[in-house]
Amino acid sequence: MVEVLTDYQLVSDRAAGIIADQIRATPRGVIGFATGGTPIGAYDRLVALHRTQGLDFSTLTTFNLDEYVGLSPDHPQSYHSFMWQHLFGHVNIRASHAHILSGLAHDVDHACTEWEHRIEASGGIDLQILGIGSNGHIAFNEPGSSLTSRTRVVELAERTVQDNARFFDRPDKVPRTAVTMGIGTILEARCLLLMATGDHKAHAVAAALEGPITPDVPASALQRHTNVHVLLDSAAASQLSSV
Ligand code: F6R
């Protein structure tokens, strides 16, 4: 289902509503979280719902999509820090239930296999939140990734490094590798919630939703999933031919 709302605020409100409904319906459920600029508004609203309505995270389990290789959890630009700064630090989640891939694993392959087992042991992800890169990536599955890929180490595309440089003091500080859930891993979530806002996402959104399913546009793999909710602002939807 594709829903187009006028702006970022409305997309954020709607996303937070969907996530909150999921948490209320299945308090012991499993949510997959994303980082990046797009979900920040939705996370702010979840924090507000926790404060004003007691939205309860205490029995929830979470898995994050990805992490930079080489950044320690307390590095300000790590995705660990991001999640604690924008969401986990302000709600009653149990730290031991909030899973984020390590960027410092000694045996990365083992850590990736463990990660897959941990998701399986938790019963699988009920709702996976996703953003989309301007190059069509989901998580850090860059163009060329296998559509059945699993959790692994990847090299970031030059475009992603440039896009993410805004979060770092200097562009040369952006890590070049990351550990990411694979496209196959993501597609196993029971429901996917993709958010995209801004005209810089319009091309990727149109290619993902209306183009051929191809590793050149990793997000096009979402067309293979039967339960995808897409939330767009008008700018991100501007290149879709049918909405
Ligand atoms: C982040 C992630 C990425 C982002 C994407 C969009 O965990 O998996 O795929 O969702 O790069 O990032 P923003 O929202 O910053 O445009």
Side-chain angles (χ1 to χ4, degrees), residues 10 25 50 76 91 99 118 133 156 165 168 198 212 240:
L10 290 178
H50 170 69
V91 297
H99 304 291
R118 213 181 290 171
L156 299 184
F168 289 79
L240 287 174

Side-chain angles (χ1 to χ4, degrees), residues 33-39 65-66 79 130-133 137-140 164 166-167 200-201:
F33 281 110
T35 57
T38 311
L65 285 172
D66 41 22
Y79 286 165
L130 297 168
I132 182 171
H137 74 209
I138 43 170
F140 275 139
N164 288 2
R166 70 192 196 279
F167 295 113
H200 61 300
K201 297 290 176 73

Side-chain angles (χ1 to χ4, degrees), residues 19-39:
I19 299 164
D21 283 349
Q22 171 67 39
I23 296 174
R24 290 189 197 102
T26 318
R28 296 184 174 277
V30 182
I31 296 203
F33 281 110
T35 57
T38 311

Side-chain angles (χ1 to χ4, degrees), residues 8 33-40 43 64-68 79 82-83 128-142 160 163-164 166-167 180 186 194-197 200-201:
Y8 179 75
F33 281 110
T35 57
T38 311
I40 290 176
Y43 296 168
N64 258 76
L65 285 172
D66 41 22
E67 179 57 286
Y68 290 115
Y79 286 165
F82 177 100
M83 288 309 298
Q128 175 64 59
I129 297 145
L130 297 168
I132 182 171
S134 59
N135 65 356
H137 74 209
I138 43 170
F140 275 139
N141 295 285
E142 300 288 18
T160 301
D163 285 350
N164 288 2
R166 70 192 196 279
F167 295 113
T180 183
I186 291 168
L194 174 72
M195 274 186 268
T197 56
H200 61 300
K201 297 290 176 73

